[in-house]
Amino acid sequence: MSTATSAARASRAVDGAEDGQGSRLSGIPALVRLAVRRDRVWWPAWIVPLAGYTAATAAAYEGLYPTAELRRTITASMGSNATLRAMYGLPYDLESPGGFTAWRIGAMTCVLVAVMSVLTVVRHTREEEETGRLELVRAGVVGRHAALAAAVLVTVGGNLVLGLAATAGLVAVGTPLAGATALGAGFASVGLVFTGVGAVGAQLSESTRSARGIGLGALTAAFLAHSVGDTNDDLSWLAWSSPVAWANRVRPYAGERWWVLLLPAVTAAVLLVTARLLEASRDFAAGALPARLGPARGAGWFGSPVALAWRLQRGSLLAWTVGLAVMGAAVGAIAPGVIQMFEGNPTLAAMLRQLGGSRSVVDAYLAYVFPVLATIGTAHSIQAVLRLRTEEAELRAEQVLATAVTRTAFAGSHLALAIVSPVVLMTVAGLCAGLGYGIAVGDLGVAGPVAAAALVSIPAVWVLTGLTMLCLGARSTWAGLVWAAYGLVVLIGQVGQLLRFPDWLLWVSPYRHVPALPGGELSWPPLVGLTLVAAALLLAGVAAYRHRDIG
C-alpha cells in the first residue's frame, strides 16, 4: 500500500469521524476545566456581591419598615409610582421582606446577570477565536463545537450557582423557601437566555467588541420593553416579550407562577440551537455577518499612540456614555418621588441622610446615588486600562513598541482615555440627572447644582484606575485582582452599612471619602487626598510596566 493511499484513507477516516456528533463535541471536559480555571476570580466577583446584596436587602426590610402601617404606606406610595415601575417592574407584595426584595432589586439584578452571561460566553468563544488561541486548541483532539458547548456549560453552571446562592441567602434571613426559590430561579433563567444571546452574537460577528455590542444591545432592548410594558397598560404585552420582566412575572413571594419559567427555557433553547447552526455554517475566525471593510488609507491624524487608543476605545466610551446618560436621567426623574417613598418613615429617611447628606431627603438621595453611578462608570475606566493587556495578548503591543513608540507613551495613551473617561461619564450623568430632576419639578435652575454634585466622585474613580495600572504594570496576569477589588468596593458601597461592616473595612472604599453633595459641604482635603493616591498608583504602575517583560 502506497503512502499516498494510506494518507487518503486516513483523511477520509478523519472526515468521516468529523461528521459524527461525538467528534464534533470531543474535548468538552478539558475545555470546561480550562474555563473554570481561568474564571476562578471572575465568578466569585459576580456571584458573591449579587447574592449578598439580595439577602442583605431582605434582612434589612423589617428594620426599615417595622410596622404594618409603614408597609401599607410604601405599598401605596411606591407601588403607584410609574417611574419606579419602569425601573423595578410591577410590585406584587411590598408588605413582606421577600416580596419587597423581589421588586426592589429584581430587575437590576437581572440586568447584571445578563451582562455577566454575555461577557462570559463571548470571552470563551469569539475572543478566543479572534486572538488565535482557539485555533491552537482545536489543533488537538477538540471538536468543532466543543468550545461553544463548553462556554455554554460553564456560563449556565455559573448562573445556577448564583441562583442557588441567592436562594440560600434569602432562606437564611427567614424568607419562605418557595419565594426564595422562585426569585433565584428567575435570576438564573435570565442568565440562561442571555447565555444564548451571547452565543448567537459570538457567531454573527468576527469581532469580540461587536459580539459584546450585539448582546448588550439586546439587553438594552429587553430593558426598554420591560419599562414601557410595566408602565403602560395598553402596551403590557411588551413586558411579556422581555426576559428582564419574566423573573418579575414569576411572582416570587406572591403566589408563584412556575410556568413562566418555561418562557426563558424555550427561548434559551432556540437561541442555543441557532448559535450551533450558525457556527456550523461559517468559516473559522469569520462571522456569519460579513465585516465592513475599512478605508484603504488611514486619516492624517491617525499617527500617534493616543490616536490608536482613541480608535480602539471610542465605541466603548460612546456606549458607556449613552448608558450613564440614561441612568442619570432616570435618577433625576425619580428624585421627586423619593419624598413620597420615605413619607411617614423617619427611620428610613434618617438612614438615607446618613448615607447621602443632612439636608432634604431628595438631596440625600442624589448624594447617595451619584457614587453608585460613579462605581458603575469605574468599570469602563478599568476596561480602558486593561486594554493594554488585550493588546499584549493579541501581540499587537509588540508591533507598536517595535516602532519609535516608548512603553511610557504606549501605556499613557490608554491611561489618558481611562483618566478622561470618568470626567466625561460623570459630567453627562450629572447633566442628565439635573435635567431630569429639573423637568420633573418644573425648575431647570436646579440642573446646574445637581450636575456639579456628580463630579466629586471622579477622584474616587481615579484611585481604582491607578490600582488597575499598578496591577497590570506589576504582572500582566493580575487583572483578576483588579476585578476582585472592584467587587469588594461594590459590596461595601451597597451593603456595607446594612450589614454593619467594621469602620476600617468601610474606609477601604474610595467612595466612602467623597463629600455628600448635594446636601452636604464641599470638603477639598479628601478630594485632594484621593487624587494624590491615584497619581501615586498611576506613576508606580507605569514605572513597573516599563521594566517588566511584555506578554
Side-chain angles (χ1 to χ4, degrees), residues 278-292:
L278 289 172
E279 186 179 43
S281 63
R282 67 174 178 84
D283 292 333
F284 183 82
L289 298 177
R292 181 175 62 88

Side-chain angles (χ1 to χ4, degrees), residues 110-424:
C110 286
V111 168
L112 292 174
V113 169
V115 171
M116 173 188 75
S117 301
V118 169
L119 295 181
T120 304
V121 172
V122 173
R123 179 186 185 190
H124 291 296
T125 53
R126 174 51 59 186
E127 183 177 336
E128 293 294 284
E129 200 166 333
E130 185 180 14
T131 57
R133 289 191 293 263
L134 185 56
E135 184 176 13
L136 182 62
V137 169
R138 284 179 56 175
V141 187
V142 174
R144 179 171 185 173
H145 303 301
L148 176 61
V152 168
L153 288 174
V154 169
T155 310
V156 170
N159 279 287
L160 291 177
V161 171
L162 171 61
L164 291 173
T167 300
L170 289 167
V171 172
V173 298
T175 67
L177 176 61
T181 303
L183 186 55
F187 293 159
S189 69
V190 172
L192 187 63
V193 171
F194 281 93
T195 298
V197 171
V200 170
Q203 309 311 313
L204 291 176
S205 173
E206 65 180 39
S207 162
T208 301
R209 185 166 57 250
S210 297
R212 290 171 180 160
I214 291 172
L216 299 181
L219 173 60
T220 302
F223 188 81
L224 290 175
H226 133 75
S227 297
V228 174
D230 284 343
T231 54
N232 191 323
D233 293 337
D234 295 332
L235 298 174
S236 59
W237 58 270
L238 275 176
W240 282 101
S241 69
S242 170
V244 174
W246 290 341
N248 175 267
R249 294 301 194 275
V250 178
R251 298 185 61 156
Y253 302 100
E256 292 77 15
R257 296 188 292 194
W258 301 102
W259 61 267
V260 176
L261 294 174
L262 292 174
L263 295 175
V266 172
T267 303
V270 171
L271 289 169
L272 292 175
V273 169
T274 302
R276 168 26 178 106
L277 294 175
L278 289 172
E279 186 179 43
S281 63
R282 67 174 178 84
D283 292 333
F284 183 82
L289 298 177
R292 181 175 62 88
L293 296 177
R297 296 181 62 86
W301 58 269
F302 188 57
S304 67
V306 174
L308 175 60
W310 167 250
R311 178 64 180 81
L312 292 172
Q313 302 209 38
R314 63 185 181 183
S316 174
L317 179 59
L318 176 61
W320 277 89
T321 301
V322 172
L324 265 294
V326 173
M327 292 182 188
V331 163
I334 292 174
V338 172
I339 297 176
Q340 297 178 359
M341 291 169 57
F342 298 109
E343 193 174 41
N345 190 345
T347 301
L348 189 58
M351 177 175 290
L352 184 62
R353 290 193 181 95
Q354 182 182 3
L355 291 170
S358 59
R359 293 185 183 178
S360 72
V361 172
V362 172
D363 284 346
Y365 160 75
L366 292 173
Y368 168 71
V369 171
F370 282 144
V372 174
L373 293 180
T375 305
I376 295 172
T378 301
H380 178 262
S381 293
I382 293 175
Q383 287 180 342
V385 178
L386 292 181
R387 181 73 195 199
L388 287 168
R389 170 57 184 156
T390 302
E391 296 299 291
E392 284 188 56
E394 297 178 4
L395 304 180
R396 291 193 292 265
E398 293 183 2
Q399 299 177 42
V400 174
L401 294 174
T403 66
V405 177
T406 64
R407 290 196 185 193
T408 301
F410 182 59
S413 63
H414 290 275
L415 280 179
L417 289 175
I419 293 171
V420 171
S421 166
V423 178
V424 174

Side-chain angles (χ1 to χ4, degrees), residues 27-97:
I28 290 179
L31 291 178
V32 168
R33 290 194 298 270
L34 176 62
V36 172
R37 173 73 173 77
R38 291 182 61 198
D39 291 348
R40 63 190 182 280
V41 175
W42 171 267
W43 286 113
W46 281 97
I47 292 173
V48 173
L50 291 176
Y53 188 37
T54 302
T57 302
Y61 178 81
E62 291 188 356
L64 298 176
Y65 301 100
T67 67
E69 181 180 357
L70 285 176
R71 296 176 184 182
R72 286 192 294 269
T73 299
I74 65 167
T75 299
S77 61
M78 296 186 187
S80 60
N81 190 305
T83 306
L84 295 179
R85 289 172 64 177
M87 292 290 293
Y88 306 135
L90 297 179
Y92 293 110
D93 178 19
L94 301 185
E95 298 187 30
S96 70

